[in-house]
Amino acid sequence: MQNVLTMEKLVALAKTRGFVYPGSDIYGGLANSWDYGPLGTALKKNIIDAWWKRFVTSRRDMVGIDAAVIMNPKVWEASGHLTEFTDPLVECKKCHTRYRADQIDVSAACAHCGTRGEFTESKNFNLMFKTFLGSTEDATSLAYLRGELAQAMFVDFPLVLQSSRKRIPFGIAQVGKCFRNEITPGNFIFRTREFNLMEFEYFIHPSEWEKHFEYWLQEMKAWLKFLGVAEDHLVFHEIPDGERAHYSNRTVDIEYQYPFGVKELYGLAYRGDFDLKNHMDKTGKDLRYTDSASGEKYLPHVIEPTFGIDRSVLVTMLEAYHEEQAPTTEEGETDLRVVMKLPKELAPFKVAVLPLSKKEELVSVALKIVDDLSTRFAVDYDETQSIGKRYRRQDEIGTPYCVTVDFDTLTDQAVTVRDRDTMKQDRVAISDLCAYLSGHLPTL
Ligand code: GAP
C-alpha cells in the first residue's frame, strides 16, 4: 500500500534521520535556512560526484573550474544582472508583507492579514546579494555574491581556452554556491537564498546550436533517469518569448511534480553570444575563437544546462520515498515500512553491519567486518535495539545492504546479507562478502 507523500513527512524524516536540519536550530532557526546533516551531506556529495564524473571527467569535451564567489562588480554590470536580474514585487499596504507579483492574484486577499486587493504597484526587485569588501562601506567597496555560476565560465573562457587547448565544441563546468535575495523562499530546500548549482557552459559554433540544444536536453533526461525520477513526474516547459531570462534565446524548463505543485527543477538555455559579447564590449578584450582548420574567427555561442543541487537532492528523496505494508510479524503485528529506494550509487551508506547482540564475541567480528569493508564502501555500524528496528532504520536511510552477524557466524564464518528492496536474505561466507557486495553495488 502506498500512502500519499507529503512535504511534512519528508521534512520530518530528513530531520530525524540526519539528511537536512532547520538552520540555526538552537536559536529558534532562521527562516528558510537549512543545514545538511551527515546523511544529507553524503547524499548531496554522491550526487555531485556522479554528476562530475558523468559530465566532466568521463568526457573529452569538458573541463571544470572552481571560481571565486565574489567577482569584480563590473562582471555583473556587463552580464545585465544589476539591471535585469529582478523579480516583480508587490507589498500589502496594510501589513507590508511582500509577494512576488507573478505568483499571486493581486485582486485577492493578502495571505497574511486578509486585506483584499490592497497591494502596491508592482516594482522590480533586484535579487543580487550586496556586500562590501574591506573596512569601508561605500560605493567603491560594493561587491556582490554571485547570483549564478555562469559568469565565471565566460570571464575565464580565454584563460581556459589557452591553458586547456580545448577546441570548440567544448564545455566549462562548475559546482558551487549561488546567492539570490529571493522575495518568497520556501518549500523546504526548493527555494532558498543560498543554494548549490551544477552547471556548464557549452561553447559551440553558432550554426550548430539546435543540434547541441537537443543533445543536452536528452542528456539531462538521462541524468534524471539515473536519479530515479519517473518520466511522468516531469514536464518540459518551453518558455515563450517575453518570459525568458534576459540572456536567453531559447529556454526549456524541466519541471517536476512536487507535492506543492509542478515547478522548475532544472533549466536548459541557449544564451547565444550574449555574455561573451557583453564582456568583450566592456573589457575591450578579444574573446573570439579561431578555428584552426578553417581559419574562421567568431564569438562562440553557448548552450547552458543548469542543475540545481538542492532540488536534485529533493527530487531524489521524493522519488525514493516508499511506504510499504511490511510482512506480519510472528506476534501477528503488521507494520508500515518506510524505505528510501535511493539509487544504490547515491545511498549515503552502502552497507550496514549489525551484530545480533552486543555480546563481545559478535561485536568483535562485526567491527572487523566494518574495518575490512570500509576501505571499499561507506559502512554504517549499529548495535542498538532489536534487529527488526535496526533494519527499519537502515531502510529509512536507504542503505542497500544489511550484514547481520549472528551466533552461527562464530561457527560457520558466514553472515546474513539482507537486500533493502526485496528484503531477501542470503547467507554469505565472510571471506566472500566484499566480492558479493561489489557484485551487487554499482560503482560510481
Ligand atoms: N545560469 C543559469 C541559471 O542560474 P536559473 O534558472 O536562474 O538559471 C538554475 O537557475 C537552477 O537553479 C534552477 O533550475 C533551480 O534548479 C536552481 N535554483 C534557482 N533558484 C533557486 C533557489 N532560490 N533555491 C534553490 N535552487 C534554485
Side-chain angles (χ1 to χ4, degrees):
M1 189 187 72
Q2 172 82 57
N3 291 330
V4 177
L5 171 56
T6 59
M7 284 306 288
E8 289 71 26
K9 274 189 199 174
L10 191 79
V11 173
L13 181 139
K15 184 176 179 186
T16 51
R17 293 294 179 222
F19 283 95
V20 181
Y21 308 127
S24 312
D25 194 43
I26 61 170
Y27 283 91
L30 172 69
N32 303 298
S33 118
W34 301 95
D35 295 343
Y36 284 89
L39 298 191
T41 302
L43 175 59
K44 179 157 74 84
K45 183 173 185 306
N46 291 344
I47 290 175
I48 294 170
D49 288 350
W51 186 91
W52 194 261
K53 181 162 186 212
R54 188 185 190 98
F55 292 114
V56 185
T57 49
S58 69
R59 299 184 62 108
R60 289 195 304 271
D61 59 350
M62 201 78 78
V63 291
I65 62 168
D66 185 6
V69 166
I70 300 176
M71 303 179 77
N72 187 318
K74 287 184 190 152
V75 169
W76 304 110
E77 270 174 43
S79 69
H81 280 73
L82 296 190
T83 48
E84 307 293 330
F85 196 51
T86 56
D87 275 338
L89 173 131
V90 290
E91 188 174 304
C92 170
K93 288 180 186 165
K94 180 107 184 280
C95 70
H96 303 293
T97 302
R98 294 178 154 198
Y99 299 94
R100 262 179 63 170
D102 56 342
Q103 288 179 348
I104 62 159
D105 172 4
V106 287
S107 63
C110 168
H112 188 247
C113 72
T115 308
R116 185 164 287 276
E118 281 292 310
F119 292 102
T120 57
E121 285 293 304
S122 170
K123 64 174 183 188
N124 286 335
F125 175 75
N126 194 282
L127 302 180
M128 294 294 287
F129 258 102
K130 292 190 180 104
T131 187
F132 296 95
L133 297 180
S135 57
T136 49
E137 292 195 4
D138 60 23
T140 60
S141 61
L142 180 62
Y144 302 90
L145 305 184
R146 66 182 171 200
E148 64 166 2
L149 295 181
Q151 291 311 316
M153 278 85 110
F154 298 123
V155 169
D156 287 353
F157 173 73
L159 292 172
V160 171
L161 199 58
Q162 196 184 48
S163 57
S164 72
R165 309 179 67 76
K166 289 283 169 206
R167 313 307 303 163
I168 276 179
F170 79 98
I172 307 179
Q174 192 174 187
V175 171
K177 264 210 169 153
C178 290
F179 303 82
R180 296 183 188 174
N181 206 357
E182 298 280 359
I183 299 167
T184 49
N187 288 321
F188 192 35
I189 52 174
F190 172 77
R191 191 185 302 284
T192 49
R193 292 190 172 115
E194 56 173 294
F195 57 94
N196 303 280
L197 279 187
M198 317 181 272
E199 80 178 358
F200 45 88
E201 307 305 316
Y202 198 74
F203 297 89
I204 55 167
H205 189 278
S207 64
E208 297 193 318
W209 78 268
E210 277 154 312
K211 176 181 90 178
H212 289 291
F213 193 96
E214 187 50 36
Y215 170 80
W216 286 116
L217 190 57
Q218 296 311 320
E219 289 297 303
M220 292 177 90
K221 277 188 199 173
W223 163 257
L224 284 163
K225 193 167 173 194
F226 165 76
L227 290 187
V229 178
E231 213 173 322
D232 61 352
H233 292 168
L234 295 171
V235 175
F236 293 83
H237 181 184
E238 182 79 43
I239 306 296
D241 287 351
E243 289 181 25
R244 289 189 291 268
H246 62 279
Y247 50 71
S248 180
N249 297 331
R250 183 183 173 196
T251 297
V252 172
D253 276 355
I254 303 179
E255 299 176 339
Y256 178 79
Q257 248 172 50
Y258 301 91
F260 45 86
V262 175
K263 299 206 181 292
E264 182 181 341
L265 169 57
Y266 296 156
L268 174 64
Y270 168 42
R271 293 178 83 126
D273 62 1
F274 178 89
D275 302 272
L276 287 181
K277 188 169 181 312
N278 285 342
H279 291 306
M280 192 158 91
D281 290 348
K282 188 95 183 161
T283 61
K285 300 260 159 57
D286 188 357
L287 300 179
R288 287 175 302 168
Y289 170 84
T290 305
D291 186 306
S292 51
S294 69
E296 186 187 0
K297 202 168 188 180
Y298 62 93
L299 257 190
H301 281 209
V302 165
I303 305 291
E304 178 195 63
T306 308
F307 308 69
I309 296 175
D310 309 279
R311 291 185 195 179
S312 300
V313 171
L314 179 57
V315 297
T316 301
M317 291 184 75
L318 286 167
E319 290 285 324
Y321 186 100
H322 285 77
E323 289 180 358
E324 296 175 351
Q325 206 64 50
T328 307
T329 64
E330 281 171 12
E331 293 79 37
E333 287 167 343
T334 54
D335 198 4
L336 203 61
R337 179 172 94 111
V338 172
V339 52
M340 278 284 189
K341 294 189 177 174
L342 293 167
K344 291 177 184 171
E345 296 93 323
L346 302 179
F349 292 117
K350 307 295 182 248
V351 190
V353 178
L354 317 171
L356 196 59
S357 94
K358 285 185 190 167
K359 289 224 159 50
E360 169 56 27
E361 60 266 44
L362 293 194
V363 167
S364 61
V365 175
L367 288 176
K368 169 83 174 64
I369 292 174
V370 171
D371 289 344
D372 290 345
L373 294 182
S374 297
T375 58
R376 294 283 296 273
F377 312 104
V379 184
D380 194 16
Y381 173 78
D382 190 1
E383 58 177 36
T384 58
Q385 297 189 297
S386 74
I387 195 73
K389 285 211 168 74
R390 282 184 271 163
Y391 280 154
R392 289 295 152 80
R393 197 152 53 221
Q394 294 300 331
D395 287 345
E396 279 195 19
I397 64 174
T399 307
Y401 294 100
C402 287
V403 169
T404 304
V405 177
D406 56 29
F407 288 99
D408 289 341
T409 305
L410 302 177
T411 48
D412 68 0
Q413 298 300 308
V415 288
T416 300
V417 182
R418 172 188 179 268
D419 181 292
R420 175 194 73 192
D421 299 335
T422 62
M423 291 191 280
K424 269 180 55 189
Q425 305 196 352
D426 281 343
R427 194 79 184 162
V428 179
I430 294 175
S431 54
D432 295 338
L433 187 58
C434 195
Y436 175 96
L437 292 168
S438 299
H440 285 73
L441 285 165
T443 44
L444 263 184

